[in-house]
Amino acid sequence: MNKKVVIVGGVAGGASTAARLRRLDEQAEIIIFERDGYISFANCGLPYYVGETIVERENLILQTPEMMRNRFNIDARLHSEVVAVDGAQKKVTVKSADRGIYEETYDVLVLAPGAKPFIPPIAGVHSDKIYTLRNIPDADRIKAAVDQKQVRRAVVIGGGFIGVEMAENLCDRGIDVTLVEAAPHILMPFDDDMVPMAEKELEERGVRLILGDGVQSFAEQAAGETGEIEVALSSGTRLTAEMVILAIGVKPDVDFLKDSGLKFGPRGHLIVNEQMQTNLENVYAVGDAIQVIDFVNGSETAIPLAGPANKQGRVAADNICGIESFFRGSQGTSIIKIFELTGAVTGNNERTLRRLGIAYRVVHVHPNSHASYYPGASPIALKVIFDEKGKVLGAQAYGYDGVDKRIDVIATVIRMGGTVDDLKELELSYAPPYSSAKDPVNMAGFLAENLLAGRTDLFVTSEIDQIDREKAVLLDVRSELEYETGHIPGSVLLPLEVLRQRLDELDPAKEHWLYCRVGFRGYLAERILKQRGFKAKNLSGGYNSYEIAQYKAGGCNVNQPKQSNGGCRTTCDTACGQTTAAAGKTETKISAPANVSFDQHDRKLNACGLCCPGPLMQVKKCMDEMTPGQRLYVEASDPGFYKDIESWCQRTGNGLLNRSKDAGLIKALIQKGCMDDNMVQSPAQSGPSAPAKDNKTIVVFSGDLDKAIASFIIANGAASMGKKVTMFFTFWGLNILKKEDPQPVEKGFMDRMFSMMMPSHSKDLPLSKMNMMGMGAKMIRMVMQNKNVQSLEELIMAAMDQGIELVACQMSMDVMGIKAEELIDGVKIGGVGYYLGEAEDSNVNLFI
């Protein structure tokens, strides 16, 4: 006898069940009831439709009732909601838009109702300015609001995958976005030492993050489509926007099944066995509404993902047709795009394993996505978690290229019950554009093997604060240049290259906690020390992992420039006075001419690692060899290059087509000469039409008190006459800008020596004449006070109040060992290019 199979719900679980059933049984009668108007659609693509990455709405629709009928002979009934199930009588009650309420019998019932957005019971939550995203009509409403209602600001509530994807896509539409998450971090599948990479990417791309703060209420500020909605947070912060996206999670959509006799789990999910059977005879369930087994640890869980739902539909169809098939559980393999960054995860994270009391070990590696000598290689942060026997329990990764295939490889190893030895032994495809001879997966396996074999002892960044400084020393084995660029506070520099020669400086009674950039040099140092009788351990992932874990997201970024309104771009009643959201974007694109494309005639310059003025010198050298119209693409790591290259192009008649900050690199596209009306920038004007050059620049080289006073008197006088004044402090003049009570700053030996020999702040400056071991400086200060003349410190404050630019030379700071933290607040840091640009517009240029 032919079976009559009724399926409640379409999309991944229901539609895949129906299609598999038809392939196995041509005679079965198959009916799908779908409450909404779409039987099968790409719900994972909805955020990208709102963001207009997916332009054609039709591309989201995978199957229509006509396609299901013509291709599969399946009766798909839209706008038909199943409101009750009678397991004893084997029938369902249907509420249909065109047929009213009626009953339909079945031989086999498959439940695929999915999940629905969780709506918290808080005041104002049902406002029409609050949106959820679960299906195509939801996406239509959001997109219509963005397209038609001039949405300028949006607040996304919830930092899960949907919340993050919506934040990105709204930001791509030019909307100022604030993302609010009640937990300490976004993206819960990732551990606390990995997820800051995603948070940093969001903030650098213009999304404001507020973490550890929940929503208390919503309130509409004005009636009508153009009104605003206020979001009140637990901290007292209040946000206003034209749109709120509520993405705080989902719950199983099973209210209609409460009186059916079906069994439910503790969080309301349908309980099924490995064959997708419920406790009722001939009733199966698949998709987001069911409880599944965690493949890694065997516990009961719920993982609402499209991939597992499709597999569950296949398993259900097999068993309905008499083919013994099993769903062994889900390991939660997921991936997310966060602007240019990719994050991926599989298996269990540390949080889950700690909760279940499962012992584990971890390793961190930071290899390149492919061979470093082949252009375009970018780092991957990869974390692998495993047990004491080496069985792989989980993995997480972030990067800009190659993340997906590494996590997929490790997910496969987990599914096969594999170990870190398998990671080590995998033979993976290699060519320089795609990988390295030792793939990142292999490298994680090598490190894990060394850890389990006792060849290395690892510690993680969270343990650094637990170091007993009486019994242990934190040792940085990188180069002096790397140490000066940034290091872990309290660490001692001892480069690997001289470690063997300086072993007598180490205390054999103490344990040495070692770190380098990514862990490899630390491991080499650990092997040297251990074989010489020292106690040592190495930081997993090195300083890279430390930097990731140290990033603190949330709130306003005080390093961002202020706006004219002095407030956050997403209105914030806490009045932080700093820009957020789109104002914080590190990428500043300057549109290139539409008729110019990058081709083989353009040149590339890698100026990374060079300090000012090195990058500019290399740019000039290249440009001198180029012909008008040719373009130069340059990458530099010197922070001052961002402003320098703009000034250089303006003054040399070359076109700056594009300038951006990306993953710590400053990138610029420059065209030699050939400026025209399509360029966003023109060379300096000359001749009768050129604007008058009436600015004033002062180079302050001297660190003498009397010369410093003279400099600021001249500068204040010029500013008071309405002139733009720039003071460029270099070498000894930098001492004028030092704070009186700076925070302690870690320095190398030579920098400490310089600091000891130089004045500590402006009140310690000597006179150029008649200093008399400091007495002359004290006398002139007393005379100035008696004659009611402003002190140097008062002159400095007056200058800043008048808008005089105080610029510290980046190169001189590096040479003198002066850190930015030692300078008074408000001082800019720039290079030679910035100064020359200002001098070009000046008719007075003093050197003091």
Side-chain angles (χ1 to χ4, degrees):
M1 185 178 72
N2 295 335
K3 296 186 183 73
K4 181 179 181 181
V5 182
V6 168
I7 301 173
V8 180
V11 199
S16 63
T17 303
R20 175 69 169 172
L21 271 172
R22 177 57 72 220
R23 292 194 298 271
L24 296 175
D25 187 347
E26 179 62 24
Q27 304 305 318
E29 180 184 358
I30 305 172
I31 303 173
I32 299 178
F33 290 111
E34 173 55 50
R35 177 175 55 194
D36 297 321
Y38 302 91
I39 196 71
S40 180
F41 61 91
N43 54 353
C44 295
L46 297 178
Y48 302 99
Y49 171 62
V50 174
E52 296 189 333
T53 298
I54 297 173
V55 179
E56 299 298 331
R57 182 177 180 275
E58 291 71 22
N59 292 341
L60 297 171
I61 301 172
L62 306 179
Q63 296 283 350
T64 65
E66 292 74 23
M67 293 168 65
M68 295 293 276
R69 181 175 59 250
N70 296 334
R71 179 173 294 181
F72 297 106
N73 189 26
I74 292 173
D75 182 5
R77 303 179 189 177
L78 301 181
H79 304 293
S80 299
E81 180 181 6
V82 174
V83 295
V85 171
D86 186 338
Q89 299 297 319
K90 289 190 174 182
K91 63 183 181 181
V92 298
T93 302
V94 183
K95 183 179 179 181
S96 170
D98 55 357
R99 296 175 58 179
I101 297 176
Y102 67 97
E103 293 181 340
E104 189 77 49
T105 61
Y106 64 81
D107 296 315
V108 178
L109 177 64
V110 180
L111 299 171
K116 59 184 178 181
F118 174 67
I119 309 296
I122 59 178
V125 75
H126 298 295
S127 166
D128 62 3
K129 292 180 175 58
I130 298 177
Y131 302 81
T132 58
L133 181 64
R134 191 66 183 169
N135 53 36
I136 289 181
D138 291 341
D140 287 339
R141 284 190 289 270
I142 296 172
K143 192 170 188 302
V146 173
D147 292 344
Q148 301 168 15
K149 298 183 181 180
Q150 297 181 333
V151 174
R152 297 172 299 137
R153 296 163 299 178
V155 176
V156 177
I157 311 296
F161 280 54
I162 293 175
V164 170
E165 289 171 346
M166 281 304 302
E168 173 189 347
N169 281 278
L170 290 174
C171 192
D172 282 346
R173 293 293 305 273
I175 296 172
D176 297 336
V177 180
T178 297
L179 190 153
V180 179
E181 170 56 55
H185 290 285
I186 63 172
L187 299 175
M188 291 302 288
F190 293 89
D191 283 317
D192 293 353
D193 58 356
M194 294 291 288
V195 76
M197 291 191 69
E199 294 166 349
K200 185 173 186 287
E201 182 77 7
L202 283 168
E203 290 192 320
E204 288 186 343
R205 296 290 180 168
V207 176
R208 178 188 180 193
L209 293 183
I210 298 179
L211 305 179
D213 204 353
V215 178
Q216 281 200 327
S217 65
F218 300 98
E220 291 197 32
Q221 297 291 87
E225 292 186 352
T226 59
E228 296 178 335
I229 185 167
E230 180 183 82
V231 184
L233 305 183
S234 301
S235 63
T237 298
R238 296 180 181 273
L239 309 170
T240 56
E242 290 81 20
M243 167 185 285
V244 170
I245 305 294
L246 198 60
I248 58 176
V250 297
K251 63 178 183 178
D253 194 0
V254 293
D255 291 345
F256 71 103
L257 298 172
K258 294 303 182 184
D259 298 324
S260 64
L262 289 162
K263 290 185 178 179
F264 297 90
R267 292 191 291 163
H269 297 85
L270 290 163
I271 295 177
V272 297
N273 61 18
E274 287 184 324
Q275 295 178 297
M276 313 317 297
Q277 296 167 328
T278 69
N279 62 295
L280 296 183
E281 184 182 5
N282 291 321
V283 178
Y284 296 76
V286 299
D288 294 355
I290 71 168
Q291 180 176 282
V292 299
I293 297 299
D294 185 310
F295 181 81
V296 174
N297 62 56
S299 67
E300 296 170 342
T301 187
I303 301 178
L305 293 172
N310 276 282
K311 295 176 181 66
Q312 293 156 12
R314 183 183 180 91
V315 170
D318 285 353
N319 285 292
I320 291 169
C321 294
I323 301 171
E324 194 173 52
S325 186
F326 302 92
F327 182 75
R328 305 292 187 185
S330 176
Q331 62 199 71
T333 305
S334 308
I335 192 166
I336 185 170
K337 172 184 175 293
I338 311 158
F339 293 97
E340 298 302 318
L341 185 70
T342 299
V345 61
T346 188
N348 286 177
N349 58 22
E350 289 193 65
R351 193 180 306 109
T352 298
L353 296 171
R354 284 196 299 266
R355 175 172 54 82
L356 297 174
I358 299 174
Y360 64 89
R361 309 292 291 273
V362 301
V363 294
H364 300 76
V365 293
H366 297 273
N368 281 324
S369 56
H370 60 249
S372 58
Y373 56 82
Y374 187 89
S378 61
I380 294 174
L382 175 61
K383 175 180 181 177
V384 177
I385 308 173
F386 49 96
D387 67 16
E388 296 290 345
K389 294 182 179 179
K391 184 178 179 180
V392 182
L393 304 177
Q396 302 162 39
Y398 280 101
Y400 294 91
D401 181 43
V403 166
D404 51 348
K405 67 178 180 179
R406 271 67 191 216
I407 288 297
D408 284 345
V409 166
I410 298 174
T412 305
V413 171
I414 292 175
R415 182 58 60 164
M416 299 300 146
T419 68
V420 295
D421 284 338
D422 295 312
L423 301 183
K424 176 190 70 173
E425 295 173 3
L426 285 173
E427 185 175 337
L428 303 173
S429 60
Y430 159 61
Y434 305 105
S435 184
S436 299
K438 291 185 288 189
D439 189 86
V441 172
N442 299 138
M443 295 176 68
F446 295 149
L447 180 55
E449 177 204 34
N450 285 335
L451 178 62
L452 293 177
R455 285 185 283 272
T456 185
D457 291 306
L458 297 177
F459 66 97
V460 294
T461 57
S462 61
E463 297 179 85
I464 292 175
D465 292 337
Q466 303 169 17
I467 298 177
D468 184 345
R469 301 299 173 134
E470 297 296 322
K471 299 179 181 179
V473 59
L474 186 58
L475 207 60
D476 188 326
V477 298
R478 301 173 300 159
S479 67
E480 184 172 353
L481 178 60
E482 290 174 287
Y483 184 85
E484 293 299 333
T485 302
H487 58 270
I488 300 174
S491 61
V492 177
L493 175 65
L494 185 52
L496 173 66
E497 286 71 20
V498 297
L499 179 59
R500 291 183 178 89
Q501 291 75 42
R502 295 173 57 183
L503 289 175
D504 58 335
E505 299 177 22
L506 303 180
D507 185 349
K510 290 188 175 183
E511 186 174 46
H512 296 83
W513 294 47
L514 310 168
Y515 75 91
C516 63
R517 187 69 199 179
V518 297
F520 181 64
R521 283 174 290 172
Y523 172 63
L524 297 179
E526 180 190 7
R527 297 301 301 156
I528 293 171
L529 293 182
K530 282 184 172 178
Q531 293 178 74
R532 303 293 181 99
F534 292 90
K535 292 176 289 184
K537 59 173 62 175
N538 184 30
L539 176 58
S540 182
Y543 191 71
N544 275 12
S545 287
Y546 172 80
E547 281 192 307
I548 293 170
Q550 288 296 111
Y551 183 79
K552 302 301 180 185
C556 296
N557 186 344
V558 297
N559 293 321
Q560 294 169 350
K562 289 186 178 180
Q563 289 194 137
S564 58
N565 65 1
C568 297
R569 293 198 65 173
T570 299
T571 304
C572 173
D573 288 351
T574 51
C576 57
Q578 304 294 334
T579 56
T580 57
K585 291 184 180 180
T586 57
E587 183 171 2
T588 305
K589 278 208 170 184
I590 306 171
S591 302
N595 61 342
V596 179
S597 59
F598 198 80
D599 58 39
Q600 70 271 21
H601 300 294
D602 296 317
R603 294 187 58 175
K604 297 180 180 179
L605 170 64
N606 184 352
C608 295
L610 297 177
C611 296
C612 175
L616 280 183
M617 294 171 65
Q618 292 297 315
V619 168
K620 182 181 183 303
K621 180 180 178 182
C622 286
M623 295 294 279
D624 287 345
E625 299 169 353
M626 293 165 56
T627 57
Q630 269 192 292
R631 300 188 307 178
L632 175 68
Y633 173 75
V634 57
E635 292 186 358
S637 54
D638 175 46
F641 185 71
Y642 189 76
K643 287 187 175 181
D644 287 353
I645 192 60
E646 180 181 29
S647 296
W648 186 86
C649 287
Q650 288 175 338
R651 306 311 161 194
T652 58
N654 296 297
L656 181 57
L657 305 181
N658 181 286
R659 179 185 56 164
S660 67
K661 293 181 183 178
D662 184 10
L665 294 180
I666 291 88
K667 302 177 180 181
L669 181 62
I670 310 160
Q671 184 168 0
K672 181 169 182 175
C674 294
M675 304 298 292
D676 58 37
D677 293 338
N678 292 322
M679 293 290 180
V680 295
Q681 208 174 297
S682 356
Q685 294 178 327
S686 58
S689 61
K693 297 182 178 182
D694 199 25
N695 299 339
K696 317 299 176 188
T697 52
I698 304 175
V699 179
V700 185
F701 177 86
S702 172
D704 296 329
L705 175 62
D706 44 346
K707 295 177 181 178
I709 293 170
S711 300
F712 277 97
I713 289 174
I714 296 169
N716 279 307
S720 66
M721 298 172 64
K723 311 302 182 184
K724 181 185 177 184
V725 181
T726 300
M727 302 181 72
F728 190 77
F729 295 81
T730 182
F731 284 95
W732 314 112
L734 291 170
N735 295 314
I736 302 168
L737 302 180
K738 288 183 178 178
K739 293 179 180 176
E740 186 170 356
D741 295 305
Q743 294 294 321
V745 178
E746 294 286 337
K747 294 188 176 185
F749 174 76
M750 290 301 296
D751 291 347
R752 290 197 301 271
M753 292 298 293
F754 265 110
S755 294
M756 292 172 60
M757 294 185 289
M758 290 191 298
S760 58
H761 50 79
S762 63
K763 291 183 179 178
D764 283 345
L765 297 178
L767 285 179
S768 61
K769 304 289 184 182
M770 299 186 297
N771 187 48
M772 298 181 292
M773 300 184 69
M775 288 301 298
K778 292 180 181 179
M779 290 172 61
I780 196 169
R781 283 182 176 272
M782 183 175 66
V783 170
M784 291 172 66
Q785 183 177 6
N786 292 338
K787 296 183 178 293
N788 202 27
V789 177
Q790 288 179 303
S791 67
L792 173 59
E793 291 72 29
E794 291 171 332
L795 289 168
I796 293 173
M797 292 304 299
M800 298 179 75
D801 289 341
Q802 291 197 85
I804 294 174
E805 279 192 322
L806 308 184
V807 182
C809 175
Q810 176 77 64
M811 180 274 292
S812 298
M813 289 174 63
D814 294 339
V815 172
M816 308 290 283
I818 296 174
K819 307 295 184 182
E821 296 93 326
E822 296 178 84
L823 303 182
I824 57 179
D825 296 334
V827 172
K828 295 182 179 180
I829 297 175
V832 173
Y834 184 72
Y835 156 69
L836 292 175
E838 294 300 309
E840 185 71 21
D841 286 335
S842 300
N843 60 1
V844 172
N845 185 27
L846 302 178
F847 187 94
I848 297 178

